Amino acid sequence: MEVPHGRELFIGSRWVQPHGTELTDVVAPFTGKTVAQLPRPSVEDARDAVEGAVASFGAWHDLPLEERHEVVARFCAGLDKRIDDIVAMWALEAGMPHGNGLALTTDASVFWHRALDEALTAPWVEVRDTPMGKVEVRHEPVGPVVGVVAFNGPHMQFALAMIPALLAGNTVIIKLAPESRMLGYLFAAAAAEAEFPAGVLSILAGDADVSQYLVEHNDVAAVHFTGGTEVGRAVMHACADRVANVVLELGGKSAAIVAADADLEVTVPALVDAMALYSGQICLTMTRLVVAREIHDQVVAGLVAGLKALKVGDPTDPETNWGPLAAPRFLERAEGYIHRAVAEGATIAYGGRRPAGFDGYFLEPTLLTNVTRDMEVAQQEIFGPVYCVIPFDTIDEAIDIANDSRYGLSGSVFTSDPEVGLEVARRVQSGVFVVNATFPCLAAPFGGVKQSGFGREGGPEGLLSLTQMKCITL
């Protein structure tokens, strides 16, 4: 696929020449072969992005909301007209199956248009009566923002966090993952068409040195980080040193509770679909399947049959629903967890191997039984296709198992009793939850608790998450 401006970088709302001459390979995970060579952004390029964001912040936030809205709306329109290219490039460079990618990108479009609508009615300024008289409460932009977004849905994070940040009046530097280098050029082409004022928006896919420079920079007022919990802690420490704002959307080890009265004709296909979504490389994936003991064997048999039926293959093929992992390190990490789980006593009910006939980074969906709640594989986020089945005897025990985790991102319950479903949903410690399905609403709002992070994306709360409040006594 053609990469627009493939020898330049999008810094400060403009295409510019990079400071260095180093190129980096883009490797397709389906084949393991290089499909493009693109400039490797340097710390000097990141410095230019910060300087531009600082210099343009005052003029950007002083623009009337309607004028900012017009520019951001042009950006969203540019993304919309590139949806087919985004889906195709996402499959090529990161292994996202075409069908999954189309669904997620279409949803992202819905969410960025929702953000545009909500910005026009949000309570940016309100007057309240207090014991001291009237006060004006204002939500104002925080300043230059760095958004560190993950490879498994950068445009979704644009919709839920970065576009709201721009609408609020912040200048923004979007730091993409190395697995999104090509995709970043499509996003940047849309931004260039929107004609943001100089300095307002930078989009670059950098390595760890660029991320560290941006996160630690004294002139960056806020960091919105999406990624693993361990790196999230380091981001939080860096922001603490200068008391910068931080929003963390971190890992998960979400549990799907399957009650004895669950409708398995609904439950099993829903769980298989959730397990197949991007080969488990989704923070929301239900990686712990907490199943009533009396239906344990029946559920496992159904899951195995469903996983066997998945079509493994080229992620650019619309018929494929199981593609490769995004990079060799993810494949090796998942295999390590499987090997250690078996050594601890777990049984592989299905999968656990690299499927024959593929040169890329493929791993079969792996379903583990005889797993106890305290095993490493049941406690650590793997971010890959490794799923644990844990039996329970009572709903109270199931909830206890679900809560026995340092994470608290999502969760679900399958039951025929609406009252039980709501009780479980209220008692499980998570930021979002779903009854009789697996994928939560991302717009009402979305975020985690415990070590899954804090702050929110989507909805009015996400729109205001990268603002600061000022109270004026009138």
Side-chain angles (χ1 to χ4, degrees), residues 248-314:
L248 299 177
E249 201 280 277
L250 305 178
K253 194 69 179 177
S254 301
I257 296 173
V258 183
D261 66 345
D263 181 348
L264 298 188
E265 291 186 3
V266 172
T267 303
V268 171
L271 291 174
V272 171
D273 286 347
M275 295 158 76
L277 180 58
Y278 203 12
S279 304
Q281 298 173 116
I282 298 289
C283 58
L284 292 166
T285 298
M286 300 293 145
T287 52
R288 292 182 296 153
L289 310 178
V290 185
V291 180
R293 195 177 301 276
E294 55 262 52
I295 59 170
H296 174 278
D297 293 351
Q298 186 180 355
V299 170
V300 169
L303 293 174
V304 169
L307 295 175
K308 283 182 177 178
L310 295 174
K311 181 181 178 182
V312 182
D314 183 348

Side-chain angles (χ1 to χ4, degrees), residues 172-247:
V172 175
I173 302 165
I174 296 174
K175 209 296 295 184
L176 297 164
E179 294 80 13
S180 300
R181 294 187 194 276
M182 293 175 70
L183 209 52
Y185 279 82
L186 292 181
F187 300 150
E193 283 183 3
E195 298 182 332
F196 282 90
V200 169
L201 178 61
S202 297
I203 302 174
L204 68 165
D207 296 310
D209 57 339
V210 169
S211 296
Q212 183 175 359
Y213 177 85
L214 291 172
V215 166
E216 294 179 351
H217 201 292
N218 284 333
D219 290 331
V220 170
V223 175
H224 188 293
F225 174 81
T226 302
T229 297
E230 287 69 25
V231 180
R233 289 195 197 99
V235 171
M236 192 172 176
H237 279 292
C239 292
D241 287 342
R242 64 182 187 279
V243 199
N245 289 10
V246 61
V247 176

Side-chain angles (χ1 to χ4, degrees), residues 148-153 156-157 160-162 223-233 235 246-254 281-285 381 383 407-410 431-432 440 442 445-458:
V148 181
V149 303
F151 70 89
N152 65 342
M156 185 68 78
Q157 292 155 39
L160 298 177
M162 298 297 96
V223 175
H224 188 293
F225 174 81
T226 302
T229 297
E230 287 69 25
V231 180
R233 289 195 197 99
V235 171
V246 61
V247 176
L248 299 177
E249 201 280 277
L250 305 178
K253 194 69 179 177
S254 301
Q281 298 173 116
I282 298 289
C283 58
L284 292 166
T285 298
E381 183 185 40
F383 214 68
Y407 299 105
L409 186 56
S410 186
V432 292
L442 300 182
F446 170 72
V449 299
K450 299 196 284 188
Q451 292 191 32
S452 289
F454 52 81
R456 291 296 180 264
E457 301 175 344

Side-chain angles (χ1 to χ4, degrees), residues 45 114 146 240 270 286 291 416 452 473:
D45 299 313
R114 183 181 176 92
V146 166
M286 300 293 145
V291 180
S416 297
S452 289
T473 303

